[in-house]
Amino acid sequence: MPTLLWFRRDLRLSDHPALLAAAQDDAQVLACYVLDPRLIASAGTRRLGYLYRSLHELRERLDGKFLVVQGRPEEQIPRLARAVGAASVHISQDYSPFGRRRDDAVRTALDDVPLCATGSPYLVSPERIGKQDGTPYQVFTPYYRAWRDHGWRAPAASGPDSARWIDPAGLPGATEIPDITGQSDAPAGERAAMAQWRAFVETWLPNYATDRDRPDLDTTSRMSAHLKFGTIHPRTMAVDLGADADAYLRELAFRDFYATVLHHWPESAWQSWSPGMASIEVDDGPDAQRMFDAWTAGMTGFPIVDAGMRQLSQTGFMHNRVRMIAASFLVKDLHLPWQWGARWFLDQLTDGDVANNQHGWQWVAGCGTDAAPYFRVFNPTTQGAKFDPAGDYIRRWVPELAEVADVHKLDAGRPAGYPDPIVDHAEERREALRRYQQLR
């Protein structure tokens, strides 16, 4: 009997266990994607652009045998299953709070047609490991040791020829894959993901541990958007990571860890994971909004912060070290809620992922798992000098400073059009410490 393969955050054909499960016993497989209006409304323009380009590539690689429909999945998936007489519907497991609710609704609506989950977007899925007492890990280092000890399977041997694909021509409800324009420097789709990974492994991986914090060198892998949408599986990447690539493997482990935290504490998507930090004093009102607007526009007067925010607004990407600096500035210099910054990043980032984004913000704000100590307040000037020593990154994204000899020392004056600092860092650091100490 035919089966249905419902693509979601697994927009690829290689290393796809759910594909192999759907094609078992030589079953004919209908490949489909559901454009859920809830996700479309919550995704920024750049993520939608990446999604649509990836869907176009999937359709091309399947010679058109790929059906895209629009609507609520609990309505569309049962309808498609009935249309082809599917014996089962196959998916990659989604552990996000939204994904679990959506899949439960689809499972109920399918009635006697099973919804079969095989594999996930992670090396180690969130339910696979826990402490000896059965509770989930709350600290990364012991999680990482258990994660490595657990290990993972080899990549699944799947591809476009792994199934007999059903031609969807004539099936009702098909919709065109939208074309969307939006500035993004992230090539989309499985072929782009594989090409990017090969280039990184061959060129930058050997020096990743020493160079990864340097935004001026642009030597990071730029795989985050591909992982977000599943155009590559981390298993495919892990086979290239030898014993000397532990620094990169730890980044994949952090991705799994944050997905695990969100799975077990779904409220941490928008609430501080640490309840004791939830009541910290934050600013609000018109003055706070003006500060936030200056931060989003890259007009704070702190060059490394402004460079990062402008890179984000122009490309949909920001270097991870700069993300931490910009986040610290919002939370600890401007005293604004971390949720404001997290929401802005999700709107702007091509790689915006709720688990990584929200828990990265909470790490900086001191209210998440493994949080940075409350007294750690990044000095944006010294951070800029340390990680962008020649100022090349800053000059690239803040053209007002292109002719300035030392972008880290602007005491002698600032070029026309570039603002003075909107706050005094030393003063705001003291204020941040006062607010944190009130909670202790």
Side-chain angles (χ1 to χ4, degrees):
M1 291 183 70
T3 62
L4 195 69
L5 178 59
W6 175 20
F7 286 86
R8 294 101 67 83
R9 287 184 57 184
D10 50 0
L11 304 180
R12 64 185 185 278
L13 297 172
S14 63
D15 194 2
H16 200 310
L19 190 166
L20 296 179
Q24 285 185 103
D25 301 323
D26 198 34
Q28 288 187 293
V29 180
L30 175 64
C32 70
Y33 186 91
V34 181
L35 292 171
D36 189 331
R38 295 167 297 179
L39 290 179
I40 293 173
S42 64
T45 301
R46 294 186 177 98
R47 285 205 301 287
L48 288 178
Y50 187 103
L51 168 64
Y52 297 153
R53 294 195 301 276
S54 298
L55 294 178
H56 277 294
E57 185 196 66
L58 259 180
R59 175 173 284 175
E60 174 194 339
R61 296 192 68 200
L62 291 175
D63 296 324
K65 296 177 181 178
F66 181 58
L67 179 63
V68 176
V69 297
Q70 188 163 5
R72 295 285 287 254
E74 64 268 29
E75 299 170 356
Q76 296 299 321
I77 292 300
R79 180 181 67 79
L80 295 177
R82 290 192 299 269
V84 297
S88 54
V89 176
H90 293 265
I91 58 172
S92 299
Q93 184 71 56
D94 190 334
Y95 288 93
S96 70
F98 173 85
R100 289 158 63 189
R101 293 192 302 269
R102 175 201 58 204
D103 292 352
D104 285 345
V106 171
R107 187 174 288 107
T108 299
L110 280 169
D111 197 15
D112 58 347
V113 177
L115 182 66
C116 306
T118 309
S120 79
Y122 308 106
L123 281 169
V124 179
S125 299
E127 294 176 327
R128 288 291 178 87
I129 57 175
K131 295 188 289 186
Q132 289 186 346
D133 63 2
T135 61
Y137 284 99
Q138 303 178 34
V139 177
F140 175 73
T141 299
Y143 170 87
Y144 181 57
R145 288 194 293 265
W147 182 86
R148 292 206 67 163
D149 289 344
H150 180 280
W152 43 86
R153 296 175 180 175
S158 65
D161 298 328
S162 296
R164 293 192 298 134
W165 302 103
I166 295 173
D167 189 341
L171 289 176
T175 188
E176 288 299 316
I177 301 169
D179 288 311
I180 190 169
T181 58
Q183 291 178 323
S184 174
D185 60 357
E190 183 175 4
R191 285 177 293 207
M194 292 300 298
Q196 178 66 29
W197 179 242
R198 293 262 63 84
F200 172 73
V201 168
E202 295 167 5
T203 307
W204 303 118
L205 180 60
N207 296 318
Y208 176 80
T210 56
D211 293 345
R212 60 181 177 150
D213 279 324
R214 292 284 300 275
D216 56 325
L217 300 181
D218 198 21
T219 58
T220 54
S221 69
R222 304 297 289 270
M223 296 300 295
S224 53
H226 301 307
L227 286 167
K228 155 69 181 175
F229 287 93
T231 51
I232 192 171
H233 196 282
R235 276 189 307 259
T236 302
M237 301 160 64
V239 296
D240 294 321
L241 301 176
D244 59 345
D246 186 66
Y248 196 93
L249 190 65
R250 283 176 67 88
E251 296 304 311
L252 294 179
F254 263 115
R255 180 174 178 268
D256 285 10
F257 177 61
Y258 284 149
T260 299
V261 173
L262 183 64
H263 173 68
H264 289 287
W265 290 276
E267 69 280 358
S268 67
W270 291 106
Q271 300 175 25
S272 294
W273 181 86
S274 174
M277 300 296 292
S279 59
I280 191 169
E281 179 186 352
V282 294
D283 290 352
D284 202 350
D287 288 342
Q289 185 63 51
R290 281 193 289 272
M291 291 291 189
F292 180 72
D293 292 343
W295 179 79
T296 61
M299 293 293 285
T300 69
F302 289 86
I304 191 68
V305 174
D306 294 339
M309 298 306 296
R310 296 187 194 188
Q311 181 187 27
L312 175 62
S313 66
Q314 293 177 39
T315 70
F317 177 82
M318 189 194 299
H319 187 280
N320 187 62
R321 167 57 59 171
V322 187
R323 293 189 199 197
M324 291 190 288
I325 298 169
S328 178
F329 186 81
L330 180 90
V331 173
K332 296 181 177 178
D333 284 75
L334 303 185
H335 316 298
L336 301 180
W338 67 263
Q339 292 93 336
W340 288 20
R343 186 173 291 108
W344 180 256
F345 272 27
L346 282 180
D347 181 71
Q348 297 291 308
L349 286 166
T350 305
D351 64 23
D353 175 87
V354 170
N356 286 346
N357 186 65
Q358 313 307 74
H359 289 283
W361 271 92
Q362 292 187 56
W363 180 85
V364 171
C367 60
T369 56
D370 270 330
Y374 75 92
F375 50 80
R376 184 180 187 183
V377 181
F378 284 145
N379 182 318
T381 302
T382 57
Q383 288 279 310
K386 180 177 181 180
F387 296 111
D388 184 25
D392 294 339
Y393 173 78
I394 288 172
R395 291 189 191 89
R396 177 181 179 185
W397 298 108
V398 186
E400 302 98 304
L401 303 180
E403 304 301 322
V404 175
D406 189 344
V407 297
H408 308 299
K409 295 180 180 178
L410 300 177
D411 298 336
R414 293 170 175 249
Y418 190 65
D420 291 329
I422 60 174
V423 294
D424 181 300
H425 171 71
E427 179 179 330
E428 301 308 331
R429 180 182 183 276
R430 289 191 292 270
E431 173 61 15
L433 294 180
R434 183 193 68 79
R435 297 187 186 200
Y436 278 98
Q437 287 167 349
Q438 284 183 324
L439 301 177
R440 297 180 63 82

